[in-house]
Amino acid sequence: MHPILKTMQTAPVPAPAVQVRIVSKLYGSFAALKRVSCTFAAGGFHVLLGPNGAGKSTLLRVIAGLITPSSGIVHLLGGDPLQRRDRIAYMSHAPMLYDELSAMENLRYFSRLQHPGANCDCTGSPEMALRAVGLDPTLTRPVSQFSQGMRQRVSMARALVGDPELLLLDEPFSNMDAAGARELVQLLLDFRTWPLAGAGGRTVIITTHQYELVSDVADSVVEMRAGSIVIPQAAAA
Amino acid sequence: MHPILKTMQTAPVPAPAVQVRIVSKLYGSFAALKRVSCTFAAGGFHVLLGPNGAGKSTLLRVIAGLITPSSGIVHLLGGDPLQRRDRIAYMSHAPMLYDELSAMENLRYFSRLQHPGANCDCTGSPEMALRAVGLDPTLTRPVSQFSQGMRQRVSMARALVGDPELLLLDEPFSNMDAAGARELVQLLLDFRTWPLAGAGGRTVIITTHQYELVSDVADSVVEMRAGSIVIPQAAAA
Amino acid sequence: MIYLRTVWLHLRKDLRLEWRSRDAIAGMLFFTLLVTVVFAMAFDPTGFPTLARQMSGGLLWVGLLFAATTALNISWERERRNQVLDAHRMSASPASALFLGKALANLIFVSVIELALAPVFAVFYNLHPLGEVRWLLLILPLGTWAIVVNGTFFAALGLNSRNRELMLPAALFPISIPALLGVVQATTGVITGDFEPQLWIRMLLGFDVIFTTACILLFPTVLHAE
Amino acid sequence: MIYLRTVWLHLRKDLRLEWRSRDAIAGMLFFTLLVTVVFAMAFDPTGFPTLARQMSGGLLWVGLLFAATTALNISWERERRNQVLDAHRMSASPASALFLGKALANLIFVSVIELALAPVFAVFYNLHPLGEVRWLLLILPLGTWAIVVNGTFFAALGLNSRNRELMLPAALFPISIPALLGVVQATTGVITGDFEPQLWIRMLLGFDVIFTTACILLFPTVLHAE
Amino acid sequence: MKRLFFILCAFSVALLGFGFYEAVFVAPVEATMGPVYRIFYWHVPINISAEVFPYVNMVASIAFLYFRRTRVALAEKLDALAIATAEVTVLYVGLGLATGMLWGRPVWGIWWAWDARLTSFLMLFLLYVSYLLVRRFSAGSQSAVVAAVLSVFAGIDVPIVFMSIRWWRTQHPAPVLTGEGSLDPSMWPAFLINMAAWFVWGVVLVWGRYAVVRREQVATEQIALQALEV
Ligand code: HEM
Ligand SMILES: Nc1ncnc2c1ncn2[C@@H]1O[C@H](COP(=O)(O)OP(=O)(O)OP(=O)(O)O)[C@@H](O)[C@H]1O
Ligand SMILES: Nc1ncnc2c1ncn2[C@@H]1O[C@H](COP(=O)(O)OP(=O)(O)OP(=O)(O)O)[C@@H](O)[C@H]1O
Ligand SMILES: [Mg+2]
Ligand SMILES: [Mg+2]
């Protein structure tokens, strides 16, 4: 590689964490995403807004690699989403937890799963993650007996425990009490500054209907409507 | 009965729609509700607040008759909750819809179920209910393919379509967009003034974590914490 | 009248749900086909026509019982998903209508399986019934209803319990044993021509009446048991 | 090594989930007892000892197939509930480890059933195997694995509604038949003593190897098929 | 009460011992079967008792279903009674099966036959095992209701067991206690004493279990009250 190009790459200019290029998603004849293009800078706190049915969740799932787009490409942390699974975490509407296990058991399982090679000393982190989201790690009740908001907190902890570089959150605050939601926004801000091996820094993309919670802290806002991005308006993509 | 007493009874002073008397609910040795007493006036718009795990959903389900309290009594529209099933509607965290059916099919089924004797000319009302919550009644997609917010709207329509006298809503706005949520608050206010055969008027009890949405319109606010009511403080119940 | 209309409402809903997904029918068909073929191969019924005749009644009904178990679990699982069951518990219409609607829907599903299976069965087992075949027109529906009505009821019993799938057979099988015995014997009687099936049919009828009544009376209790 | 550790992680999780929905063992034991009784009821094995011997291989495996089907459905339903499956699809660890872990867990469950079933079966069917019983030590695990590995795989196929058409009997049926046939024939050979089971055992072994490989190779595709 | 319980307990043990003595040493040897027949003195009393307790269970369950919303305290007692009788039923039916099989092996040459009596009795056993399983499987306050419903169905089986040897030709012997060809007068004393002994012992067991279950219920209530105070 040419030495100049090399210098440019290692320069601390943040490369985009996610690049979505002319992505469409069709369900039958219904277009949930219509030629969506956007870029999310690494290390940023990005907010995805839009009315119900706009396609926010669909876009997030496309980025996570859970949905294959009908056309278009997604670049993630400089590569294919499927190759970057160990560095991203996704939290959806559904809690993605085993009902019969306690919160700690769930977290321990998922953290081991995300880092199969890790030694056992990493098991301290599920407790930390639970404390971080405001839950008591000593609760032995199975999560099926948690209240809706408590389950959502565990789900958030599940996303954090894998120590991801890119965090995709689909309406993480929807069932949380107001004080809790504010604390979790703070947590997410802190999260971005956790030490990280790679360059670039940690990135957060969240969708929410409570914009007032994140309006002060958002680095960028993307607004969708009926499957298209309306803000920022596409220049000439 | 003494004639004066009789006059007092028929006077238009609204009787309470719901009376909860020293209700407790235990799960094993964990008390989800601790000697809760409260009264919700008929025709009012009541808001139930509290942090995650406070017991709001449990209280709502006790009022709906879905949970039998460990002790205590619930009086509903002047009688036993189990006798008043045709006059109340409940909307929970879960959508309570059949995934494989379309929104209209779901609503038609549930409205028939609620009013088994009604003639077919009432079938106009599912469409109205769907329009009222901002959905298109001609959508034939099964609800499993709806977005989270759309499903919640259908669920709300399901609650409204039975033309209930008492409406119990558990976080109805949690996944709705801000504009939609405001419209639905307006809809609920309108709902209370719909003509009604019986006296008293329609009552709405909702739990929410977005107090700012309903702060202007709430007739009364009940705040819970760890299974007890903290506001309004019990006098000497 | 209103009651019947409600039953019809539930029945139609269940049929429509099944039509949309075809879960139960596909699963049942697979299972019963497998049972039929495995037995046919394991045992060479064309080689031993008398033995084949003797056991085919039992095979048919055990296969159907297992198949029905699958269908029943699926049919209640649908009500549990998204907690639709709460909506039923809140509804003002009689709970037993829900039960009857579902039992009828399951009766239809299992009957479809029977119709599909009958020719396969006859061919694989090389069956020429020696008794009066027209009794089968009575035996099949009565036996199917006996299985289905109890199954629907006991599957509902387990709705709120931890291992639901195991609870259904745990409760259902002991109860349906007399019905199963009756229907197997009656069918064997028809196929072998050794004895008249009337006694067994009468017993089956009694069983059906008693258990249908008991189920309808007790279903509201089960549904509203927290 | 890491791969094995992941398999063990999944296996332990499945065992723990099973253990949590407590009394599972008791439930299974009771369940198998019932299956045996229902079969015996339908066939009257004490009345026809030769017939019973000939049938019992088939009966045993169809019963196990049924028990396994139930266990498999339960075990995938757990992953589907709350969309945990999405978490697996997102996870960096190899998908086939999930599959192997689950298949092993199911192998353990079904084996426990077999151990409990064996004596009951022998008493109720009044069985005295006439062939070499020690072959059963080979036939039982091989046959169980054949059922379990295919069952786990095909139950996973049905997980996404998009793939459900694939799970239709037409696809699943021809695939499981040879294994089932092999194991039933081998067992019958041991019980009746009419023929040596070696040929069938060799076939079973081949089947197990081929299908385990195929399932492990194809599972990632199935899991990630949208 | 407690005193009465222990008196009854001692009485039943004494009766059991006396019955054993009568059956083994006093009663005459039967003509066709020889000494093996003496199992009769346990088999029949146990089995007749095993058909009584399910009925107590069923009546208690129906009453429980009726009173469970209106009279909670009474309903709890009925539920305790249902648990106690169900457990004793499982025990007695299990013993009945065991004695029957032990008898059948020398007399018939097989442990088990699938006739109507044996099968319907096995069913009774299975039904009550599933009753106990259901109680453990289902969650919380609901389990009592579900179990009570199941008990009603189990009750339907009892008359079938009783009538099976009258309705069908079975491998199992036809009635000997009633009708012609009945028991030799010399066998009656031993039989009646054993009958009384096993029945009273069953009552004692039910009583004991009932007391234990009641105590557990009260303890749970106590814990609940504490939980509410915190
Ligand atoms: C597993 C095997 C057996 C079972 C489950 C069984 C079950 C029963 C039951 C439930 C009764 C209840 C009587 C009643 O309803 O009044 C009974 C009675 C009786 N059993 Fe058995 N039995 C078995 C084996 C045998 C054998 C092998 C014999 C003797 C050859 C035998 C002889 C009798 C007699 C004489 C009675 C009294 C019948 C009457 O007068 O009511 N049983 N048995
Ligand atoms: N599997 C599917 N099949 C067909 N249509 C689908 C499917 N999944 C989603 N859709 C449709 O795609 C559109 C976008 O859905 P999506 O869930 O992305 O919306 P959203 O912006 O997340 O809305 P919300 O705020 O309500 O969660 C909706 O109209 C929805 O009905
Ligand atoms: N079935 C159950 N078994 C045991 N505990 C339960 C059960 N259901 C609820 N709880 C507990 O009861 C408490 C109150 O739950 P509830 O769902 O009423 O809270 P909530 O106020 O609705 O909270 P949220 O705002 O998060 O929805 C919680 O601590 C919860 O863990
Ligand atoms: Mg969404
Ligand atoms: Mg709640």
Side-chain angles (χ1 to χ4, degrees):
Chain A
M1 199 187 275
H2 193 277
I4 291 184
L5 281 178
K6 211 167 173 189
T7 339
M8 280 177 70
Q9 274 199 331
T10 48
V13 178
V18 180
Q19 274 184 298
V20 178
R21 291 208 203 120
I22 334 182
V23 161
S24 304
K25 178 68 197 178
L26 297 166
Y27 290 110
S29 64
F30 175 81
L33 293 180
K34 296 176 193 159
R35 299 169 183 277
V36 168
S37 296
C38 54
T39 307
F40 299 97
F45 189 102
H46 308 283
V47 182
L48 213 56
L49 299 176
N52 293 136
K56 306 179 296 297
S57 302
T58 310
L59 180 57
L60 228 49
R61 288 172 70 84
V62 165
I63 295 175
L66 287 170
I67 294 180
T68 326
S70 310
S71 68
I73 305 175
V74 176
H75 256 259
L76 210 125
L77 306 172
D80 185 27
L82 303 184
Q83 306 299 319
R84 297 290 179 278
R85 287 220 179 90
D86 52 338
R87 290 156 69 191
I88 57 185
Y90 165 69
M91 169 186 170
S92 81
H93 294 300
M96 296 207 217
L97 300 168
Y98 290 106
D99 271 353
E100 293 91 348
L101 300 183
S102 71
M104 266 307 281
E105 285 168 336
N106 264 299
L107 288 193
R108 238 184 251 132
Y109 173 72
F110 285 110
S111 82
R112 292 259 171 81
L113 199 61
Q114 200 64 359
H115 300 292
N119 288 323
C120 284
D121 45 53
C122 79
T123 51
S125 87
E127 270 147 30
M128 267 170 47
L130 268 188
R131 285 237 171 72
V133 298
L135 282 177
D136 178 3
T138 59
L139 276 184
T140 54
R141 248 179 287 168
V143 291
S144 66
Q145 299 181 355
F146 277 17
S147 82
Q148 190 73 5
M150 291 160 84
R151 231 174 296 167
Q152 209 164 10
R153 284 165 196 256
V154 182
S155 180
M156 172 87 108
R158 186 189 56 68
L160 287 175
V161 80
D163 201 27
E165 213 168 313
L166 171 63
L167 196 54
L168 305 167
L169 304 174
D170 199 349
E171 303 190 20
F173 312 125
S174 60
N175 289 295
M176 278 189 205
D177 51 54
R182 275 192 302 275
E183 276 166 27
L184 287 176
V185 171
Q186 195 53 49
L187 172 69
L188 288 178
L189 291 178
D190 294 350
F191 161 80
R192 280 192 309 156
T193 61
W194 286 359
L196 175 69
R202 295 169 195 265
T203 315
V204 177
I205 306 180
I206 87 174
T207 77
T208 183
H209 294 302
Q210 287 154 276
Y211 181 54
E212 66 283 359
L213 276 173
V214 290
S215 53
D216 312 340
V217 299
D219 293 327
S220 84
V221 173
V222 173
E223 194 169 334
M224 300 186 69
R225 201 170 296 265
S228 306
I229 291 185
V230 290
I231 297 171
Q233 271 165 329
Chain B
M1 199 187 276
H2 192 278
I4 291 185
L5 283 177
K6 210 166 172 190
T7 337
M8 280 175 72
Q9 273 198 335
T10 48
V13 178
V18 180
Q19 273 184 299
V20 177
R21 291 208 202 121
I22 332 182
V23 161
S24 306
K25 177 68 198 178
L26 297 163
Y27 290 109
S29 64
F30 176 81
L33 293 180
K34 294 178 193 161
R35 300 170 190 277
V36 168
S37 297
C38 53
T39 308
F40 298 97
F45 188 101
H46 308 283
V47 182
L48 212 56
L49 298 177
N52 294 137
K56 305 179 296 298
S57 302
T58 309
L59 180 57
L60 227 49
R61 288 172 68 84
V62 165
I63 294 175
L66 288 171
I67 294 180
T68 325
S70 311
S71 69
I73 304 175
V74 175
H75 256 259
L76 211 125
L77 306 173
D80 186 26
L82 303 184
Q83 307 298 319
R84 297 291 180 279
R85 289 221 177 88
D86 52 338
R87 289 156 69 190
I88 56 184
Y90 165 70
M91 169 187 169
S92 80
H93 293 302
M96 297 206 218
L97 300 168
Y98 289 107
D99 271 352
E100 292 90 348
L101 300 183
S102 73
M104 267 307 282
E105 286 168 335
N106 264 300
L107 286 193
R108 238 183 253 132
Y109 173 72
F110 284 111
S111 82
R112 292 259 174 80
L113 200 61
Q114 200 66 359
H115 300 291
N119 289 323
C120 284
D121 45 54
C122 80
T123 50
S125 88
E127 270 145 32
M128 268 171 47
L130 266 189
R131 286 237 171 71
V133 298
L135 283 178
D136 176 5
T138 59
L139 277 184
T140 54
R141 248 177 289 168
V143 291
S144 65
Q145 299 181 355
F146 276 17
S147 81
Q148 190 72 5
M150 291 160 84
R151 229 174 298 168
Q152 208 163 10
R153 283 165 195 256
V154 182
S155 180
M156 172 88 107
R158 185 189 57 67
L160 287 175
V161 81
D163 200 29
E165 212 168 314
L166 171 63
L167 195 54
L168 306 167
L169 305 173
D170 198 350
E171 304 191 19
F173 311 126
S174 61
N175 289 294
M176 278 188 203
D177 52 54
R182 275 191 302 275
E183 276 165 30
L184 288 176
V185 170
Q186 195 52 48
L187 173 68
L188 289 178
L189 291 178
D190 294 349
F191 161 80
R192 279 191 310 154
T193 61
W194 286 359
L196 175 69
R202 296 170 195 264
T203 316
V204 177
I205 307 181
I206 87 173
T207 76
T208 183
H209 293 301
Q210 288 154 275
Y211 181 52
E212 66 283 359
L213 276 174
V214 290
S215 52
D216 311 341
V217 300
D219 293 327
S220 83
V221 172
V222 173
E223 194 168 335
M224 300 188 68
R225 201 169 295 267
S228 306
I229 291 183
V230 290
I231 298 170
Q233 270 165 328
Chain C
M1 255 317 284
I2 289 181
Y3 186 83
L4 286 186
R5 213 190 288 163
T6 312
V7 172
W8 169 236
L9 180 68
H10 289 294
L11 170 59
R12 210 179 36 179
K13 178 261 301 173
D14 267 331
L15 292 179
R16 182 179 279 161
L17 283 176
E18 178 62 30
W19 185 246
R20 291 280 156 84
S21 67
R22 296 193 200 85
D23 273 343
I25 299 263
M28 285 199 290
L29 203 62
F30 170 65
F31 190 81
T32 39
L33 267 180
L34 208 58
V35 171
T36 318
V37 173
V38 164
F39 277 115
M41 289 180 165
F43 172 68
D44 188 13
T46 40
F48 309 87
T50 326
L51 288 185
R53 230 173 246 129
Q54 219 129 36
M55 41 161 261
S56 54
L59 273 183
L60 177 70
W61 285 104
V62 169
L64 284 177
L65 176 68
F66 284 180
T69 312
T70 318
L72 292 167
N73 270 331
I74 293 180
S75 98
W76 280 113
E77 183 61 35
R78 276 196 201 117
E79 308 288 333
R80 242 167 67 102
R81 212 184 307 153
N82 297 336
Q83 301 181 15
V84 190
L85 205 66
D86 277 348
H88 287 300
R89 293 172 60 201
M90 291 283 305
S91 106
S93 66
S96 61
L98 170 66
F99 171 75
L100 265 186
K102 205 169 261 311
L104 287 173
N106 285 324
L107 178 69
I108 293 178
F109 300 147
V110 179
S111 304
V112 167
I113 295 296
E114 276 167 18
L115 289 183
L117 203 61
V120 181
F121 206 73
V123 167
F124 278 179
Y125 288 82
N126 199 17
L127 285 186
H128 313 280
L130 300 178
E132 293 255 30
V133 181
R134 66 195 157 81
W135 283 119
L136 281 181
L137 292 182
L138 210 59
I139 296 171
L140 280 176
L142 281 180
T144 312
W145 179 249
I147 290 180
V148 154
V149 76
N150 277 308
T152 309
F153 185 79
F154 287 102
L157 259 193
L159 271 180
N160 293 320
S161 72
R162 289 168 283 164
N163 26 27
R164 238 164 330 112
E165 286 83 355
L166 288 173
M167 239 189 70
L168 169 61
L172 171 61
F173 288 0
I175 300 236
S176 8
I177 281 179
L180 199 67
L181 181 68
V183 72
V184 167
Q185 293 290 2
T187 312
T188 309
V190 170
I191 293 179
T192 62
D194 286 350
F195 52 89
E196 290 291 308
Q198 280 92 325
L199 172 71
W200 293 107
I201 292 179
R202 225 172 300 137
M203 172 186 150
L204 210 56
L205 200 68
F207 184 94
D208 277 357
V209 171
I210 293 176
F211 278 88
T212 308
T213 316
C215 288
I216 289 181
L217 287 181
L218 287 173
F219 186 76
T221 314
V222 171
L223 183 68
H224 294 302
E226 182 141 340
Chain D
M1 256 319 285
I2 289 180
Y3 186 82
L4 286 186
R5 214 191 285 164
T6 312
V7 172
W8 168 237
L9 180 67
H10 288 295
L11 171 60
R12 208 179 39 180
K13 177 261 301 173
D14 266 331
L15 292 179
R16 180 179 280 159
L17 282 175
E18 189 66 39
W19 188 249
R20 253 333 124 69
S21 45
R22 235 175 315 149
D23 316 315
I25 300 291
M28 288 255 189
L29 286 186
F30 186 60
F31 172 75
T32 50
L33 183 66
L34 287 174
V35 172
T36 324
V37 171
V38 166
F39 273 140
M41 282 283 320
F43 298 113
D44 188 11
T46 43
F48 309 88
T50 327
L51 176 64
R53 216 168 262 131
Q54 221 130 35
M55 295 287 313
S56 53
L59 287 181
L60 178 69
W61 286 104
V62 169
L64 285 178
L65 179 69
F66 182 64
T69 313
T70 315
L72 290 168
N73 275 335
I74 300 178
S75 93
W76 280 115
E77 183 59 35
R78 263 189 217 127
E79 310 286 334
R80 224 157 77 112
R81 212 184 309 154
N82 297 337
Q83 301 181 15
V84 190
L85 207 65
D86 275 349
H88 287 300
R89 294 171 59 200
M90 289 285 304
S91 103
S93 64
S96 61
L98 171 66
F99 172 76
L100 265 186
K102 203 169 265 309
L104 286 174
N106 286 323
L107 179 69
I108 292 178
F109 298 144
V110 181
S111 303
V112 168
I113 299 181
E114 276 167 17
L115 288 183
L117 193 64
V120 182
F121 204 74
V123 167
F124 278 175
Y125 287 82
N126 211 6
L127 282 187
H128 315 280
L130 300 178
E132 292 256 29
V133 182
R134 67 196 157 82
W135 283 119
L136 281 181
L137 292 182
L138 211 58
I139 296 172
L140 282 176
L142 282 180
T144 311
W145 179 248
I147 288 183
V148 156
V149 78
N150 275 308
T152 310
F153 186 78
F154 285 104
L157 259 192
L159 278 179
N160 296 317
S161 50
R162 232 177 57 116
N163 286 324
R164 203 166 285 151
E165 302 299 316
L166 278 179
M167 221 212 23
L168 282 178
L172 180 46
F173 185 56
I175 295 184
S176 329
I177 271 287
L180 212 56
L181 183 63
V183 72
V184 168
Q185 291 291 5
T187 313
T188 309
V190 170
I191 293 178
T192 60
D194 286 350
F195 53 91
E196 291 291 307
Q198 279 92 325
L199 172 70
W200 292 107
I201 292 179
R202 227 171 297 136
M203 171 186 150
L204 209 56
L205 199 68
F207 186 93
D208 276 359
V209 171
I210 293 174
F211 276 81
T212 309
T213 317
C215 288
I216 289 181
L217 289 181
L218 286 174
F219 186 75
T221 318
V222 170
L223 184 68
H224 294 301
E226 186 144 336
Chain E
M1 269 320 244
K2 219 168 179 175
R3 201 74 170 277
L4 186 62
F5 174 76
F6 284 114
I7 291 173
L8 203 64
C9 199
F11 176 62
S12 74
V13 170
L15 260 185
L16 281 176
F18 185 45
F20 180 82
Y21 171 79
E22 280 280 326
V24 176
F25 300 108
V26 180
V29 177
E30 204 251 1
T32 46
M33 282 184 275
V36 180
Y37 101 97
R38 289 184 199 276
I39 295 183
F40 169 87
Y41 294 111
W42 294 280
H43 179 75
V44 180
I46 288 174
N47 282 338
I48 290 177
S49 307
E51 288 171 4
V52 174
F53 294 117
Y55 270 117
V56 180
N57 175 271
M58 184 166 97
V59 170
S61 294
I62 291 174
F64 168 80
L65 287 179
Y66 187 76
F67 288 120
R68 92 197 141 100
R69 288 207 198 273
T70 46
R71 300 178 60 185
V72 179
L74 176 64
E76 276 199 349
K77 285 182 185 160
L78 288 168
D79 192 38
L81 181 61
I83 295 180
T85 44
E87 285 171 353
V88 173
T89 303
V90 169
L91 176 71
Y92 266 55
V93 177
L95 283 176
L97 283 172
T99 52
M101 279 161 77
L102 283 176
W103 198 357
R105 179 71 192 167
V107 178
W108 300 335
I110 45 175
W111 293 103
W112 190 259
W114 293 100
D115 75 2
R117 160 58 61 87
L118 271 59
T119 308
S120 57
F121 200 57
L122 178 66
M123 240 175 75
L124 191 65
F125 181 71
L126 295 177
L127 279 170
Y128 273 95
V129 172
S130 83
Y131 176 96
L132 294 182
L133 281 183
V134 163
R135 281 206 90 107
R136 304 196 58 197
F137 281 178
S138 31
S141 56
Q142 170 224 22
S143 77
V145 179
V146 170
V149 169
L150 194 58
S151 153
V152 175
F153 281 85
I156 299 179
D157 184 41
V158 178
I160 301 181
V161 174
F162 183 74
M163 295 307 291
S164 55
I165 47 177
R166 293 161 181 83
W167 286 346
W168 289 283
R169 264 190 300 118
T170 53
Q171 175 119 24
H172 190 272
V176 295
L177 299 180
T178 53
E180 64 269 21
S182 68
L183 228 51
D184 189 85
S186 60
M187 293 160 91
W188 277 104
F191 172 74
L192 285 180
I193 288 167
N194 270 301
M195 185 67 238
W198 283 93
F199 185 73
V200 175
W201 191 54
V203 171
V204 167
L205 285 180
V206 168
W207 190 344
R209 261 311 274 164
Y210 173 80
V212 172
V213 174
R214 276 301 292 160
R215 200 162 285 186
E216 283 168 4
Q217 284 175 343
V218 171
T220 320
E221 270 160 32
Q222 223 75 55
I223 293 172
L225 281 180
Q226 277 167 8
L228 285 184
E229 293 312 325
V230 179

